[in-house]
Amino acid sequence: MQENFRLGAPRLHAIFSEYTMMPLCLHAPAKLNLFLAITGRRSDGFHSLVSLAVPLDFGDELELRITDRETGDTRLRVEGEASAAEVPSGPDNLVLRAASAFREASGFARPVEFVLKKRVPVGAGLGGGSSDAVAALRGLNTLAAKDECALDEKTLCALAAKLGADCAFFACGKPAIMRGRGERIEPLNEAAAKRLGGGSLFVCKPAFGVSTAWAYGEMATRAASVEGGDYYVAEAEAERLCGQWLTSGVGAEQPLESLTFNNMESVVFRKYPALPVLAATFRERFGLILRMSGSGSACFAFLPKETRDAAANTALVRQLSECVRELWGPSAFSRVVRVRTGA
Ligand SMILES: C[C@](O)(CO)[C@H](O)COP(=O)(O)OP(=O)(O)OC[C@H]1O[C@@H](n2ccc(N)nc2=O)[C@H](O)[C@@H]1O
Ligand SMILES: Nc1ncnc2c1ncn2[C@@H]1O[C@H](COP(=O)(O)OP(=O)(O)OP(=O)(O)O)[C@@H](O)[C@H]1O
């Protein structure tokens, strides 16, 4: 016992090393905007929107661990199948931007190493970067709790909202309606969220991505032009359309796919005809509505009710994947996903 006590310092060091070597693993889900109405441009240059967004059972993985390095506060390694080369590993990565904002807000100063396993395609409108940022904040907050400098939930969410327009949604982590520039979040009621959890969706993305800043800029340009006219959806109409997702007949009498909407398609489909070509082919060959998520280029379709069990899905999904590769080429991405209801 006394021997152990004398060996206290090295033992403590070993325990600390063990603790520092153990990574914390977080899932950073992708999202879909099942409904997205851009309602206008605000005086701060951002656009106001009404959107029904859902987190998915598919996403990136973020590992973080405290290291015993003396110097260098935060490091990031990006790995994974989703074109890791397109993702910056320096200070522009949203994980490192989140870490630096977190350190400033909390005073948490331990050296941390991140490993980001990138699976969500980049520039897809699937919110991968924003979700990684929120996972980094949550992971750091867990580590900071051991040093008694964790942030409370409200402060953490406010910090997230500053990092990107989709971050407030990911901080909520449940199907929700986004308003304002994306920072005002109203989680869906349980019944509406449950209806969304029942089905599978097919998601696909061509090899190219779309810049979110470009898509919003193009909306503003076209709205200002003569042909623009009533380019944006009026806010009251956006609320009415979005509100249909909350009514009780949805999913039964009123199929979910008939409520999907995205007025950013107007600018993105014009520049990237591969997207409307696939949408028309899905309609003609399979009777499916293909909708764009966020600013694209990823698109999604609800799989029909009778194929909502895994076995029956297979044949249709194979045909959809073949169709995507036929029209978008062999490097196109596709997969089946489910909504995470958070229940
Ligand atoms: C299209 C959506 O995915 C819908 O959920 C989001 O609105 C986009 O969110 P995001 O990718 O996190 O966007 P950010 O990286 O914050 O913004 C990129 C750029 O898009 C423009 N932007 C973004 C959000 C918004 N409500 N209005 C805008 O005009 C701004 O020029 C901004 O500089
Ligand atoms: N962790 C990250 N993962 C992906 N992209 C990142 C990350 N950090 C910074 N970026 C930069 O952000 C840009 C857009 O990333 P992201 O894939 O999140 O866009 P998106 O899918 O269009 O997102 P959104 O749906 O929020 O518009 C990329 O081009 C990349 O340079």
Side-chain angles (χ1 to χ4, degrees), residues 7-284:
L7 290 174
R11 263 185 67 79
L12 268 181
H13 178 76
I15 290 165
F16 181 68
S17 299
E18 210 177 280
Y19 158 66
T20 59
M21 293 315 288
M22 200 144 53
L24 195 60
C25 300
L26 291 107
H27 177 66
K31 57 95 179 156
L32 288 175
N33 298 94
L34 300 180
F35 177 93
L36 174 61
I38 310 298
T39 56
R41 191 155 185 255
R42 311 171 352 158
S43 52
D44 62 3
F46 275 81
H47 286 76
S48 47
L49 56 85
V50 178
S51 179
L52 170 59
V54 292
L56 303 178
D57 63 353
F58 157 69
D60 296 335
E61 299 295 328
L62 184 68
E63 278 182 16
L64 63 163
R65 80 179 96 206
I66 295 177
T67 69
D68 49 9
R69 272 183 288 110
E70 299 276 315
T71 56
D73 59 354
T74 317
R75 287 184 188 187
L76 168 69
R77 196 170 75 239
V78 183
E79 300 176 345
E81 65 227 46
S83 46
E86 289 174 56
V87 181
S89 55
D92 282 347
N93 193 294
L94 280 150
V95 167
L96 294 184
R97 279 173 46 200
S100 130
F102 182 83
R103 286 188 188 287
E104 201 173 306
S106 66
F108 178 69
R110 287 189 192 273
V112 173
E113 226 165 59
F114 289 99
V115 179
L116 175 60
K117 296 178 181 167
K118 200 70 203 162
R119 303 209 170 93
V120 179
V122 177
L126 298 175
S130 307
S131 188
D132 297 342
V134 171
L137 290 181
R138 291 235 173 263
L140 286 168
N141 212 33
T142 302
L143 298 180
K146 296 189 166 89
D147 288 357
E148 293 180 2
C149 57
L151 301 177
D152 60 59
E153 187 62 18
K154 200 171 158 207
T155 311
L156 199 73
C157 289
L159 196 60
K162 285 189 200 149
L163 291 167
D166 281 332
C167 290
F169 161 73
F170 285 112
C172 159
K174 292 177 180 167
I177 297 177
M178 305 165 71
R179 294 190 178 84
R181 64 177 219 187
E183 83 288 8
R184 281 168 44 212
I185 304 297
E186 180 192 333
L188 247 54
N189 64 55
E190 214 175 297
K194 206 169 152 206
R195 278 195 295 271
L196 294 174
S200 306
L201 297 107
F202 180 82
V203 177
C204 52
K205 180 197 167 276
F208 62 83
V210 173
S211 151
T212 303
W214 170 82
Y216 274 113
E218 192 65 9
M219 293 287 289
T221 306
R222 292 207 169 269
S225 73
V226 179
E227 65 163 316
D230 52 357
Y231 214 71
Y232 300 121
V233 179
E235 199 168 318
E237 179 63 357
E239 288 290 350
R240 188 189 69 77
L241 292 171
C242 194
Q244 292 182 324
W245 288 87
L246 307 176
T247 48
S248 61
V250 172
E253 308 96 81
Q254 205 170 11
L256 297 174
E257 54 272 27
S258 68
L259 304 180
T260 60
F261 178 81
N262 185 343
N263 64 335
M264 283 194 126
E265 286 176 358
S266 58
V267 290
V268 179
F269 279 18
R270 191 185 290 245
K271 181 168 178 191
Y272 300 102
L275 306 186
V277 165
L278 188 73
T281 310
F282 265 38
R283 201 168 44 241
E284 283 154 24

